[in-house]
Amino acid sequence: MVRGRLFPFVLAALFLGYVKGDEDIYIDSAISSTWQDWSWGSTISYTATDVKDGTSSISVNSGAYSALSLYDTSIFANTFAGLKFDLAGDNPDISIYLTDTATSVNSDFIALSAFGLNTTASALTSFTLDFSNIPPNGASLPTGNWNRITFQSGGNGAVEIVVTPEFLSAEPLGANLVAVTTKGAVDLTSVKFTLNGKALTSSANTTYVPADTPAKTITYFTLSSPFAAGTLAIAAGTATFSYTLTAGLVSSTYRTINPLIYGVNFATDTAYVKDIGVSISRWGGNAVTAYNPFGGFTNAGADWFFENRNIDYGSADDWLGWVKACWCKLAWVAKDATSYSYSAAVYPNQAKYDPLSSRPVSQNVSYVPWSTANVTTWLKGLVNKPAILAIDNEMEIAHSTHQDMHPAPVSYDEELATYDQPFRPAQVAMPSTCAWWFYWTSAVGYTDNTAHNNTDWLPYFLQKMKANDASVGKRTLDYLDIHYYFAPDTSANDDAAKALRMRMTRSLWDTTYVDESWIGTSTPQSHQPNATIVQLIPRMQSLIAANYPWNQALHKRVGIHVDGRRYHWRLRSLQTPWVSSECTDSMALPTGEHRPRTSPVGLAYWLYRGAGNVFGDRSAKFTVTGFNPNVLGVYAGTTSASKPSLVIVNKDLAKPVSLNISGFPTGKYFIRHFGGLAGQAKFQTTQTISSFSYFVVPAGTAVFIKYQG
């Protein structure tokens, strides 16, 4: 019987081959800056030297069905002709596949054996995966927004290789728990604890194996004494772990949380919604701006050569059947699934062409008009009505994203003219404005501000909505809809960039945080007060109160689409949950870009909402003595059944944090957490917490606890 397997192999010189050039993924000690390691169940070294090409190689030891998986922050496939890599290993049982993470679609699995090459562990063998001639049958890679490459081990039981037992981490957690993460059959009786020189006895509690990383196991030990300030030492087999524990003080007061803050864009299926706790999902963006519901066609715009295609996400009606969501509307839609706007015959001097297109060179007209009558017909015919209607997507940049449809920059007046509502089956979110710059200035430029009494765009928009409402005698705006992209440059992916990712979410709520980007350093382009401090939620609330005071309820309705791509993590650089006590009751519709369950966004949502264990419907504002928001996040809530919950994010990657927490009852708590020394694995348990006077969170870890009684 196979108890566990390791499938070792070495990769070197991994790169994508392009029609006009190559893109390196890995060469000498590191993956390229635009790529991220999304592997699971694997021990990986990027600096292996036993077998190498150049100065180093990637050493991979994957448990059964685990993988080396690399994610590109930009879409690579269909832009490149193939994938080249050098591999050493004793003909390892692995398969290669590509993933479109936006839709969670995988390509066919390609077994390494299908290449017909023999490999050895002592030397590198070169492989070329031709996207137009994929082994074993010579098929072409289907068109898709491929942006992830996975080398996954199989489950072949012909050879038994026992996993080497190892203690990966042992970290203090809560009042008196130690979370010990392991792989293989370790001897748990060897785990010993010492606090301030005094040996402590313990009992082993629940052992948990996360579904996403089955190669890792965690066991929770309950110590005989609670934690206290000082030194905690843990011996586990031949490994030792030592921590210096310090303390802080926490107090709290409660307020309401809007249930719609847990939103994503293009949620993939009901299982995804349930697993990470999505409360609302948006169906919209560049990919569906030209969506024609009467044929199921759309146009990719600048995202992919301005080509028409069948919609990737299924019909809006089908999709709305399981997620009540937003929809986008505009004045032109794709006429079919095959037309395109820029042919080589008519536009021969283009910088790039679709390398996979086999379409004729004659030009076609891609669009047909889309009128308000069409809108009414479609909406009335929907079986599943949307809960919220978003009027188009980022019209400010249509001259770029959809330049074939609308080459001229969109002005204030033109954008306002599109917001007609002949039929209103749902609440309305407008204007879906793109990014900080366009909150204040149109693509026309400053002359547009000048022509409108030197008024910035969003205040002007709200003022015009107020005037329109007075004219028609009813409110026509339910949500101020804006899109937010973090502006700081973190592309270097060094320690400074990782620390910046920790800080920059403060721009969502902190009224003192000067943005660490051009926003904070350039001469402000707007007429807004404190323009170098984004303070997005408070600022938008103030704009609504000053310019669209229909009633108090709207003051708390700010729909924000946050782009998670600008806030990814690498290694143990935690995403800070931006659903914080400072902004929860202000954000009604944050719909960040869809990401896989194990991505930073997926992990953050799972922490708060996963599998039905929710954070709560009221928030608590915390005050922490010596609080530094760059290294600590503390968020509390409670349910209508008076069950308190708490999330603590320790952004310090080097040392644990200890808190003295008031206002929480002792008793049984559901606990879930991710991060820490063992990596991104998702763990959970139910334990009794007998005291909150000294509560510890490991380094680089996010912890959720909820009172059970």
Side-chain angles (χ1 to χ4, degrees), residues 241-255:
F241 307 90
S242 181
Y243 304 96
T244 299
L245 305 182
T246 58
L249 180 64
V250 179
S251 60
S252 62
T253 57
Y254 291 100
R255 64 179 182 176

Side-chain angles (χ1 to χ4, degrees), residues 257-442:
I257 298 174
N258 191 305
L260 297 180
I261 62 173
Y262 305 97
V264 299
N265 197 34
F266 286 129
T268 51
D269 52 49
T270 52
Y272 177 88
V273 168
K274 181 179 179 181
D275 187 33
I276 70 170
V278 172
S279 58
I280 191 166
S281 186
R282 173 180 179 265
W283 196 83
N286 291 342
V288 296
T289 283
Y291 173 56
N292 185 338
F294 302 131
F297 316 127
T298 193
N299 182 281
D303 291 347
W304 193 255
F305 299 98
F306 300 91
E307 294 177 355
N308 285 7
R309 66 189 187 201
N310 291 313
I311 192 70
D312 295 328
Y313 309 100
S315 76
D317 207 354
D318 292 342
W319 193 80
L320 285 166
W322 55 272
V323 176
K324 294 298 180 184
C326 305
W327 158 75
C328 296
K329 158 239 183 226
L330 56 73
W332 295 86
V333 295
K335 75 173 187 179
D336 54 33
T338 58
S339 299
Y340 56 97
S341 296
Y342 299 109
S343 74
V346 179
Y347 301 96
N349 297 320
Q350 299 183 54
K352 188 186 296 183
Y353 302 97
D354 182 350
L356 299 181
S357 176
S358 59
R359 299 172 183 175
V361 296
S362 60
Q363 185 184 26
N364 295 294
V365 178
S366 301
Y367 303 103
V368 292
W370 182 248
S371 66
T372 54
N374 295 133
V375 175
T376 301
T377 300
W378 177 44
L379 290 176
K380 286 185 175 180
L382 285 173
V383 175
N384 303 296
K385 298 293 191 291
I388 298 167
L389 205 60
I391 310 300
D392 209 346
N393 174 72
E394 300 185 353
M395 271 189 275
E396 299 79 17
I397 58 172
H399 67 288
S400 173
T401 57
H402 300 282
Q403 64 183 31
D404 56 336
M405 179 196 303
H406 196 293
V410 176
S411 67
Y412 280 24
D413 295 337
E414 182 182 1
E415 184 162 352
L416 279 169
T418 65
Y419 298 136
D420 55 329
Q421 299 169 40
F423 176 65
R424 180 175 169 166
Q427 293 182 313
V428 172
M430 298 186 287
S432 301
T433 298
C434 171
W436 178 263
W437 178 273
F438 294 107
Y439 298 167
W440 320 118
T441 308
S442 76

Side-chain angles (χ1 to χ4, degrees), residues 10 22 93 213 358 448 504 565:
V10 170
D22 296 335
D93 177 19
T213 51
S358 59
D448 216 5
M504 66 187 186
R565 290 171 297 186

Side-chain angles (χ1 to χ4, degrees), residues 13-36:
L14 180 68
F15 61 93
L16 289 161
Y18 178 42
V19 176
K20 297 183 179 179
D22 296 335
E23 176 184 332
D24 295 329
I25 302 174
Y26 170 88
I27 289 182
D28 293 343
S29 303
I31 56 176
S32 299
S33 61
T34 62
W35 288 76
Q36 303 174 25

Side-chain angles (χ1 to χ4, degrees), residues 62 81 142 167 432 502 605 637 653:
S62 290
F167 287 94
S432 301
M502 298 292 193
Y605 275 39
L653 303 182

Side-chain angles (χ1 to χ4, degrees), residues 647-664:
V647 168
I648 303 174
V649 181
N650 183 5
K651 309 172 201 176
D652 191 323
L653 303 182
K655 56 182 179 293
V657 63
S658 306
L659 300 171
N660 182 351
I661 302 172
S662 62
F664 274 75

